[in-house]
Amino acid sequence: MASDPRVYGAILRTLLIIVVAVPIQFVLGMALAYLFMNRFPGYRFFYSLMLTPMMIVPAVVGLMFFLLFQSTGPINEHLGLPANFAWLTHSSRALIAIIVADTWQWTPLMFLMLLAGMMSVPPDQLMAAKLLGASNWQSFRTIILPRMKSVIVIALVLRVVESFKIFDLVNIMTNGGPGVQTETISMLFYKVTFGEFEWAYVASIGLVILVVLSLLASLGLSFFAKKKA
């Protein structure tokens, strides 16, 4: 494993998806949570609509975006791109398509966790800040955000750990291609296990990944425990 460049490549591509997708999901989730914190007419309908993507089976989402990102699909048509503009068969654009699909499906989960954290902020403090002339940004920065640190840590840790397991979208949309340009660590496990039958090797890699993710989760939870104390 230590001398296998394919493993390093798969880990780096997985980390790239995490570094790009998770912050985007966090920012979008935070913005939507702040929007839904102040109830508006019809918010119940839009709330249900917002949660729909994460209820869909990931394999179905992969098929949906596989069709959307075809050269003659609706995305190229609406963006005014030529019919030969490839997404899923291009070395760098294929990864962008996967990140878009992952963001579409899992931003609602981030939104749900962050909204729960925002709803726990005492409304009397927000009202007092408003009466004292604080702007929305000042109230968010000085009252809401400090009280959500624990929730933010939990949400980010959960999404980072879950993103390490991304498989369905990659398998359906690109099958790790072109070549190995979108081969994540889970996709590598699948190919080496069922394509090359190197079960012991995959178990060794999986054990190392498990230890790393456990340490990451422990760091996040220890921070949460300190904040709670």
Side-chain angles (χ1 to χ4, degrees):
M1 175 183 174
S3 60
D4 190 348
R6 188 177 176 185
V7 174
Y8 288 114
I11 292 175
L12 287 175
R13 280 185 289 273
T14 306
L15 289 175
L16 179 61
I17 293 175
I18 292 172
V19 168
V20 176
V22 173
I24 293 175
Q25 294 168 21
F26 173 75
V27 172
L28 292 176
M30 183 68 78
L32 290 168
Y34 187 73
L35 175 65
F36 277 79
M37 186 180 179
N38 300 315
R39 297 178 178 180
F40 52 86
Y43 81 96
R44 293 181 183 275
F45 169 75
F46 290 104
Y47 181 80
S48 302
L49 192 66
M50 272 295 306
L51 300 181
T52 301
M54 72 176 187
M55 305 297 180
I56 303 175
V57 178
V60 176
V61 176
L63 181 59
M64 287 166 50
F65 280 88
F66 172 78
L67 298 174
L68 288 172
F69 279 103
Q70 291 298 307
S71 299
T72 56
I75 288 182
N76 278 6
E77 180 180 352
H78 288 290
L79 293 179
L81 299 173
N84 60 353
F85 188 87
W87 288 94
L88 303 178
T89 56
H90 191 273
S91 58
S92 59
R93 290 195 287 265
L95 207 57
I96 295 174
I98 292 172
I99 291 172
V100 169
D102 187 70
T103 300
W104 181 83
Q105 183 170 28
W106 295 116
T107 295
L109 178 62
M110 190 73 77
F111 155 73
L112 188 62
M113 290 187 287
L114 295 177
L115 179 62
M118 282 190 186
M119 297 303 292
S120 65
V121 177
D124 56 338
Q125 294 185 8
L126 296 174
M127 182 61 69
K130 186 176 181 180
L131 292 174
L132 291 172
S135 64
N136 291 335
W137 168 246
Q138 289 173 327
S139 297
F140 176 79
R141 182 172 55 85
T142 59
I143 299 177
I144 297 176
L145 204 57
R147 289 182 170 272
M148 290 184 60
K149 287 183 179 179
S150 299
V151 177
I152 290 172
V153 171
I154 293 174
L156 291 176
V157 169
L158 286 176
R159 279 304 303 139
V160 167
V161 173
E162 283 294 316
S163 296
F164 259 98
K165 301 187 296 182
I166 184 172
F167 173 77
D168 304 69
L169 295 179
V170 180
N171 187 36
I172 299 296
M173 293 177 68
T174 63
N175 195 31
V180 294
Q181 295 301 312
T182 59
E183 188 178 78
T184 60
I185 192 66
S186 297
M187 197 71 215
L188 175 66
F189 286 173
Y190 175 77
K191 288 185 177 180
V192 175
T193 301
F194 297 102
E196 303 172 16
F197 300 103
E198 296 284 350
W199 290 23
Y201 183 42
V202 171
S204 302
I205 303 173
L207 183 60
V208 174
I209 298 297
L210 174 63
V211 171
V212 172
L213 292 180
S214 299
L215 290 174
L216 179 65
S218 297
L219 289 174
L221 293 177
S222 64
F223 175 84
F224 171 70
K226 290 179 182 178
K227 295 297 293 183
K228 187 176 181 180

